Every structure is written in structure tokens, then in C-alpha cells.
């Protein structure tokens, strides 16, 4: 048999390859496995809206003080 021997440096370089970062073209869409689940997408949208609403509110003092 033939053994293919790869050194550590080569394998680490392959990790950053553009080909390694793109999914296969014929991969089936499975929610929660190959794509985000629908509930996860809804949660992400809710979190995004919450963050935007927090940023939109001006900073207010927690208590008013009478001097």
C-alpha cells in the first residue's frame, strides 16, 4: 500500500485555504446541521433587535437626585 504523509505545517496551511472554507455545492439543506435552524434565525433576529433598541435609547441616570 501507499501511505500519504503530510507534515503539520502543510495541514495548517490547508486549513486556511479558500476551498476548505466553502461548503460543497450539492450539500442538502438540513436545518440545524448544514444551515441554521429556523428557530435559531428567529432568535438571532430578536437579539439583533434588542441590541439595536438598547443602542437607540439615550443614556439616562438611574436615579434623579435633588440637590
Amino acid at each position: 500500500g501507499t501511505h500519504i504523509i503530510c507534515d503539520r505545517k502543510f495541514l495548517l496551511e490547508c486549513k486556511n485555504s479558500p476551498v476548505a472554507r466553502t461548503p460543497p455545492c450539492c450539500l442538502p439543506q438540513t436545518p440545524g446541521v448544514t444551515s441554521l435552524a429556523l428557530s435559531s434565525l428567529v432568535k438571532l433576529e430578536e437579539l439583533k433587535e434588542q441590541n439595536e433598541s438598547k443602542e437607540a435609547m439615550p443614556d439616562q441616570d438611574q436615579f434623579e437626585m435633588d440637590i
Side-chain angles (χ1 to χ4, degrees), residues 2-59:
T2 304
H3 292 283
I4 298 174
I5 300 172
C6 301
D7 61 347
R8 183 177 187 274
K9 180 182 174 189
F10 173 75
L11 293 174
L12 288 173
E13 289 173 358
C14 288
K15 178 179 75 169
N16 296 326
S17 168
V19 174
R21 294 181 175 268
T22 56
C25 63
C26 56
L27 196 63
Q29 295 297 320
T30 308
V33 178
T34 58
S35 63
L36 291 176
L38 183 59
S39 61
S40 296
L41 290 173
V42 171
K43 289 179 185 176
L44 284 174
E45 289 296 324
E46 289 175 359
L47 287 173
K48 192 181 297 184
E49 289 174 4
Q50 287 176 358
N51 287 340
E52 289 174 357
S53 65
K54 286 181 183 177
E55 291 174 0
M57 291 176 49
D59 291 335

Side-chain angles (χ1 to χ4, degrees), residues 61 63-67:
D61 294 334
F63 301 104
E64 289 186 19
M65 295 183 68
D66 294 330
I67 299 179

